[in-house]
Amino acid sequence: MVVHSEKMKSLGQLVAGVAHELNNPINFIYGNLDHLRNYMNDLIGVIDSLAQVADKVPAEVMESIEKSKEEADYQFILEDLPPLIKSCKDGAERCKQIVLDLKNFSRLDEALLKEIDIHEGLESTLNILYNKFKNKVNVHKEFGELPMLSCYAGQLNQVFMNILDNAIQAVPEHGDVYVRTSFENNNIKVIIEDNGAGIDQESLSRIFDPFFTTKPVGEGTGLGLSISYRIIKTHNGTIDVESEKGKGTKFTIKIPVDWHKEADIAGV
Ligand SMILES: Nc1ncnc2c1ncn2[C@@H]1O[C@H](COP(=O)(O)OP(=O)(O)OP(=O)(O)O)[C@@H](O)[C@H]1O
Ligand SMILES: [Mg+2]
């Protein structure tokens, strides 16, 4: 398992590195677009002011100006520029959000053990997965009141990613995934439930085994749940599964909010 956790760590570092590198260029693209729009309005103002002195300009000069305007499709440019800049801005805004989600997800820019809001981790993970599920799965978030949790945030997000990814893959064409959170008996509880394919009884006892997969070669390594299990154990928590073939699957994660006070952190 050490090898797998090293793999995850370097994947997390890669994600954090890419997010960090993209952050600056995206910010200046985003920030410069406002200047670009203002400069554009100023330039259009200058060109318009030429029209006001048209009667003082020799006719052949005006003709040549009009000709260049026609050649450049000036009227079309005037109409197209504002929506064009707006769509660049929307695109840059989406990139900013993706970078933020990746940073949140990997959490490598922060101390290893960190107080976090579990809901933020779930939201970022869902945002990252959005394109994968948007056409087939309705995600229902039923979030309760949760205290902050000291945890290995990047690792916990990896658990949410693995379980949500499995849930999305288990839904064949259209279905639902429920993400519920609550705080009970000093435990943070996260339930992820789908109404997808379900798991037969024989497989159910093996899903946490490393390399157990029912997915075609090249699609699943069978490591997602075994890694998740180890991460939840690291947090002194439990991860349980209930499933019925054809009906769906429910994962329940519980983590004691003060787990780190009892655990031997140095040994983790
Ligand atoms: N929500 C679910 N619905 C149905 N089957 C599931 C669900 N979650 C897990 N499984 C079953 O458990 C197996 C093991 O899951 P695990 O996440 O460990 O590996 P994987 O998804 O097959 O591959 P990987 O996660 O490494 O890409 C899956 O192949 C699948 O058969
Ligand atoms: Mg998986």
Side-chain angles (χ1 to χ4, degrees):
M1 286 321 266
V2 174
V3 177
H4 308 147
S5 90
E6 282 305 309
K7 241 189 190 165
M8 273 177 50
K9 212 167 119 194
S10 52
L11 186 66
Q13 269 160 353
L14 181 73
V15 169
V18 170
H20 180 78
E21 288 302 318
L22 286 178
N23 200 32
N24 268 345
I26 284 166
N27 274 334
F28 62 66
I29 291 173
Y30 183 81
N32 281 345
L33 283 170
D34 279 337
H35 296 303
L36 189 66
R37 196 187 41 223
N38 293 339
Y39 293 165
M40 174 194 80
N41 288 335
D42 290 349
L43 283 175
I44 291 171
V46 171
I47 296 171
D48 284 350
S49 66
L50 282 178
Q52 287 160 20
V53 293
D55 51 342
K56 298 195 181 76
V57 177
E60 64 269 27
V61 175
M62 268 329 277
E63 236 168 64
S64 128
I65 291 175
E66 284 310 318
K67 201 164 159 245
S68 331
K69 275 184 165 177
E70 249 166 58
E71 275 168 11
D73 227 343
Y74 181 72
Q75 207 48 42
F76 173 77
I77 292 176
L78 274 191
E79 282 161 25
D80 203 38
L81 261 177
L84 188 141
I85 291 179
K86 164 97 175 45
S87 76
C88 288
K89 197 144 188 208
D90 290 347
E93 218 154 81
R94 276 192 57 199
C95 290
K96 263 175 74 138
Q97 187 57 46
I98 291 169
V99 166
L100 192 73
D101 285 334
L102 291 175
K103 278 178 80 171
N104 246 338
F105 178 75
S106 59
R107 291 268 179 189
L108 281 189
D109 48 345
E110 295 167 17
L112 209 53
L113 197 64
K114 178 83 192 156
E115 280 235 308
I116 59 142
D117 174 359
I118 288 287
H119 294 145
E120 249 181 46
L122 286 166
E123 295 278 10
S124 291
T125 309
L126 285 168
N127 284 343
I128 291 170
L129 286 169
Y130 182 68
N131 276 321
K132 227 174 171 177
F133 70 74
K134 64 178 179 195
N135 293 325
K136 65 168 196 170
V137 175
N138 274 326
V139 173
H140 308 267
K141 289 177 267 186
E142 294 169 14
F143 290 173
E145 286 272 315
L146 291 184
M148 299 291 274
L149 177 71
S150 260
C151 64
Y152 297 100
Q155 295 192 10
L156 267 197
N157 287 339
Q158 189 73 45
V159 173
F160 299 146
M161 174 66 95
N162 287 335
I163 295 178
L164 284 166
D165 196 29
N166 285 342
I168 290 163
Q169 286 181 30
V171 171
E173 271 165 19
H174 279 288
D176 302 275
V177 171
Y178 294 84
V179 185
R180 301 190 182 95
T181 62
S182 57
F183 187 55
E184 291 165 29
N185 304 326
N186 237 20
N187 284 315
I188 286 189
K189 188 157 130 188
V190 179
I191 293 177
I192 296 173
E193 183 169 8
D194 66 72
N195 55 10
I199 308 171
D200 60 60
Q201 284 308 308
E202 204 227 314
S203 302
L204 202 55
S205 57
R206 301 172 60 198
I207 57 167
F208 293 107
D209 294 350
F211 302 109
F212 175 78
T213 180
T214 56
K215 292 171 191 170
V217 178
E219 264 183 44
T221 59
L223 287 176
L225 286 179
S226 63
I227 289 170
S228 303
Y229 182 86
R230 189 188 52 79
I231 293 171
I232 297 302
K233 282 286 151 217
T234 299
H235 290 83
N236 260 2
T238 57
I239 174 167
D240 293 309
V241 59
E242 293 161 50
S243 187
E244 201 177 323
K245 191 82 189 151
K247 290 249 166 88
T249 305
K250 177 175 166 184
F251 282 88
T252 305
I253 295 168
K254 285 186 203 155
I255 301 174
V257 72
D258 47 10
W259 70 275
H260 57 286
K261 289 183 192 139
E262 333 247 298
D264 173 13
I265 300 295
V268 171

